[in-house]
Amino acid sequence: MPRIYTKTGDDGTTGMLFGGRVSKADGVPEACGTLDEAVAALGLARSLATDPAFEEGVLQVQRELFVLGADLATNPAERARLEPGISLVTPEMVSRLETWIDELVLAHPLPQEFIVPGANPVSATLDVARGVVRRAERRVVELRDSGAEVNEAVLRYLNRLSDLLFVLARIEAREAEPGSREP
């Protein structure tokens, strides 16, 4: 049986996609680790949900966050090897989120008051995921500002994703308690 551990990270480094190693304290592993947290939080939200369309949409977002991770974790000298939608974030991925947001808001107008998270487990988990995505966005901005090559579509995707998660959380809060308003 193959072992899960490789021992290559015992020296405090981690591998980049297509070769090279960086310190685990580098901004790239920090940003990618934050994306991993977002994927996990979205997995919890998906596991709590009962709407198949919601589950399918969240699963697609989870998979796309792996694309963001690959895009960020690529050895800068090997970026030409990235494949759109597989390991490279594309403008189409951002547009898809925008379309989804627009459709949802049209069907479910947003509340105009300040929202206190926690109306139910699904909406609360989406709000946690949104906070993690916003942190991931800040980490990616730090990377870019430090001189790292960052695909601007990654930043746009994260920005739209936090908006989408806000919208989904509001819808889930309302759906759980028909006829009631969030606190």
Side-chain angles (χ1 to χ4, degrees):
M1 175 167 64
R3 293 185 176 159
I4 187 72
Y5 53 89
T6 63
K7 301 182 183 182
T8 57
D10 290 353
D11 66 352
T13 65
T14 191
M16 301 288 285
L17 185 59
F18 304 124
R21 298 191 69 76
V22 296
S23 167
K24 289 182 180 183
D26 185 82
V28 170
E30 178 62 31
C32 290
T34 306
L35 292 177
D36 286 344
E37 290 178 52
V39 170
L42 288 171
L44 179 57
R46 189 169 50 87
S47 76
L48 295 169
T50 58
D51 177 6
F54 171 89
E55 293 176 50
E56 181 181 321
V58 171
L59 180 60
Q60 182 173 355
V61 167
Q62 287 178 286
R63 290 179 173 144
E64 288 179 348
L65 286 173
F66 290 127
V67 176
L68 271 74
D71 194 319
L72 290 170
T74 297
N75 179 332
E78 301 294 333
R79 289 197 57 79
R81 295 175 63 182
L82 296 178
E83 296 180 46
I86 304 294
S87 52
L88 178 70
V89 179
T90 65
E92 293 77 24
M93 291 168 63
V94 176
S95 294
R96 189 189 61 74
L97 290 181
E98 291 171 346
T99 299
W100 193 9
I101 293 167
D102 293 343
E103 290 170 355
L104 288 171
V105 171
L106 185 62
H108 308 273
L110 294 174
Q112 298 301 306
E113 60 273 352
F114 184 77
I115 302 301
V116 178
N120 60 54
V122 177
S123 70
T125 304
L126 288 166
D127 282 321
V128 169
R130 180 175 55 87
V132 174
V133 166
R134 291 176 72 185
R135 180 164 32 94
E137 182 181 13
R138 291 190 305 272
R139 297 301 174 257
V140 173
V141 168
E142 287 175 351
L143 271 176
R144 183 197 62 196
D145 290 354
S146 72
E149 184 175 348
V150 171
N151 175 358
E152 290 297 316
V154 169
L155 284 170
R156 286 192 297 278
Y157 186 96
L158 289 170
N159 192 280
R160 293 317 173 282
L161 181 55
S162 67
D163 293 336
L164 173 64
L165 296 177
F166 176 82
V167 171
L168 288 173
R170 305 297 60 84
I171 292 168
E172 286 298 316
R174 282 190 211 141
E175 297 296 320
E177 300 177 33
S180 69
R181 298 177 56 100
E182 289 190 77

